Structures are given as structure tokens and as C-alpha cells.
Amino acid sequence: MRILLIGPPGAGKGTQAARLAVHLSIPHISTGDLFREHTGQGTELGRHAHTHIRTGLLVPDWVTVGVLEERLARPDTERGFLLDGFPRNLAQAQALDGMTAGPEPRLDAVLVLEIPEAEVVSRIAGRRLCGRDREHVFHVDHSPPAVAGTCDVCGGELYRRDDDREATVRRRLEVYRSETAPVVGHYQAQGLVTTISALGRVQEVLDRALVAIGRGQVDDSCASSC
Ligand code: AMP
């Protein structure tokens, strides 16, 4: 399956993408993670990307499209992929159309995570990530680790992303509204989009996502009472 996950910062794209990818046995490809890997390794590309990331702006398309192209060329994508954080503007969506052209359907589904902006700011302000495995995510109020500053899963040190400061989050939201939201229209025109709420527990959102891509069952246990 080839799936795109789109949503504003703080909607839980990374968390959901990691779980969905395991469920579907396809690689989870996050352009944000690819950039952070480069930055961590101190490559020139990483340093260049970081100047944009820390101010909440998009990394230029010529860098981003190149990084994604290289990743999609690896053999593990033959079974499909789950893209998290790409495309983030129309030019990237058109580049992806080109990269996925062929006899297969280009994409199977585009999931859009929806969340009120006030919730985004509060979620991100308290978000802490594990330095050892960035897929372990905590929140200082809503899901604090047992020992402050330490990952419950692997003992790694928790840190705050430097683009998670409030002013940067507001800039990232503006960029989402002006550049990424039009991408949804691009895929709506192809009949691929399902919008789901990103509110609720991680498992609830995952269940909605699985239903949206035809891999889960609707929970109608409270159909008459809720
Ligand atoms: P994320 O981890 O998806 O929240 O991405 C973190 C940051 O990486 C974004 O705020 C952008 O600065 C940059 N980034 C990630 N994906 C892209 C993309 N597709 N195009 C441009 N910049 C990106």
C-alpha cells in the first residue's frame, strides 16, 4: 500500500505513521526524520535543512525532493510506503506524482489528521521525545514518563525539539495553512482523501485511520448510547 499522512504539526502524524506502518508492514518515511538524521550526523545537507527547520519554515523543495527520491529508490519501498510529512506543498505533490508514475495506482489513500489549533499549541509545548528512539513520545502533563527526563521504553534521555517553541509552532501552523492545506485539494480531486479526527487516545486515532484505509472495523459498540 502507498499511503500519505497529512496534518498540522502536533496532530500526531509521527506517532500514527509509526504504528500504521508496523500494522501494514511497510516502511514509515518521514522527511522530518530524514532531515534530523542528517543534522545529527553533521552532514552539509543536515546543516542546510536545520537553518530552515529551526525557524519553522519549509526546507527548499530541491533539497526535500532529492532526499525523498533517494529514500523511495531503496528496495524496501517495493511493498509500498507510508509517507509522513511529504508532500508539504503543491510542487512537492507534483514531484511525487512523477516519482510514483507507472502501471500501479500512484497512491492508495491520503489520510488527513484534523485538530484544532489551540490543541496543537498545548500538545507541542509539552512534547518530549526520546533521544535514542524518536518514536517514543511523551507529554509533560498528559503522558509523563515515570522518571522525569527519561524514556520509559528504552531509558533514553528525553529532549524538546528546538522547533517546538511556541513562536516556531505558530509559524509552522501558518506554513501548514498557506502551503500544505492546498495539497489536500490536489488529492481530493483524485478521490483519495479521508479526513479523521486526531483527538482522543493514540489507539482511538489509529483505529479511525485503519477504518479509513479499509483495514479496520467500525466500533459501533456505543452506536445507540453515544
Ligand atoms: P516534521 O518532523 O514532519 O514536523 O518536520 C519538521 C520540519 O522539517 C518541518 O517543520 C520542516 O521545516 C522540515 N520538513 C519536513 N518535511 C518537509 C517537507 N516535505 N518539505 C519541506 N520541509 C520539510
Side-chain angles (χ1 to χ4, degrees):
M1 280 192 110
R2 293 171 166 184
I3 300 177
L4 304 189
L5 199 56
I6 297 179
K13 289 190 301 298
T15 302
Q16 293 301 331
R19 285 164 174 74
L20 274 171
V22 169
H23 208 91
L24 302 169
S25 304
I26 52 177
H28 165 204
I29 300 176
S30 150
T31 38
D33 283 349
L34 292 173
F35 290 139
R36 284 184 285 273
E37 272 165 34
H38 271 279
T39 305
Q41 290 160 3
T43 69
E44 198 181 326
L45 189 152
R47 279 193 294 277
H48 182 64
H50 191 66
T51 58
H52 300 275
I53 293 172
R54 71 183 160 72
T55 55
L57 295 175
L58 294 186
V59 176
D61 291 341
W62 64 270
V63 180
T64 309
V65 171
V67 163
L68 185 77
E69 229 162 9
E70 201 179 285
R71 180 63 187 86
L72 287 185
R74 291 198 214 152
D76 65 343
T77 61
E78 273 166 22
R79 292 190 317 272
F81 50 76
L82 196 154
L83 284 190
D84 154 15
F86 187 100
R88 264 178 152 101
N89 61 26
L90 281 174
Q92 292 182 9
Q94 281 151 6
L96 184 64
D97 287 347
M99 284 181 240
T100 53
E104 301 284 318
R106 284 184 169 154
L107 298 170
D108 295 286
V110 175
L111 286 182
V112 178
L113 291 178
E114 210 172 45
I115 185 166
E117 291 197 2
E119 173 75 13
V120 163
V121 175
S122 124
R123 273 192 188 189
I124 291 192
R127 177 160 76 173
R128 299 292 180 271
L129 286 92
C130 174
R132 209 175 281 168
D133 182 338
R134 278 181 286 263
E135 286 177 2
H136 306 152
V137 183
F138 298 83
H139 189 282
V140 289
D141 301 318
H142 309 314
S143 56
V147 178
T150 304
C151 176
D152 287 353
V153 186
C154 68
E157 194 178 338
L158 301 184
Y159 73 102
R160 184 178 188 181
R161 269 172 53 170
D162 68 355
D163 58 344
D164 276 356
R165 283 168 293 120
E166 186 167 337
T168 313
V169 172
R170 294 202 183 276
R171 168 82 62 78
R172 287 162 65 199
L173 280 168
E174 272 166 37
V175 168
Y176 181 78
R177 264 185 253 120
S178 61
E179 301 208 38
T180 310
V183 170
V184 176
H186 178 83
Y187 293 114
Q188 259 161 349
Q190 299 175 32
L192 290 170
V193 172
T194 308
T195 300
I196 60 173
S197 167
L199 294 175
R201 285 181 291 117
V202 168
Q203 185 62 43
E204 288 168 341
V205 181
L206 180 64
D207 289 343
R208 281 176 212 138
L210 288 169
V211 169
I213 58 172
R215 295 296 182 98
Q217 286 181 342
V218 181
D219 177 7
D220 57 2
S221 56
C222 66
S224 56
S225 53
C226 300

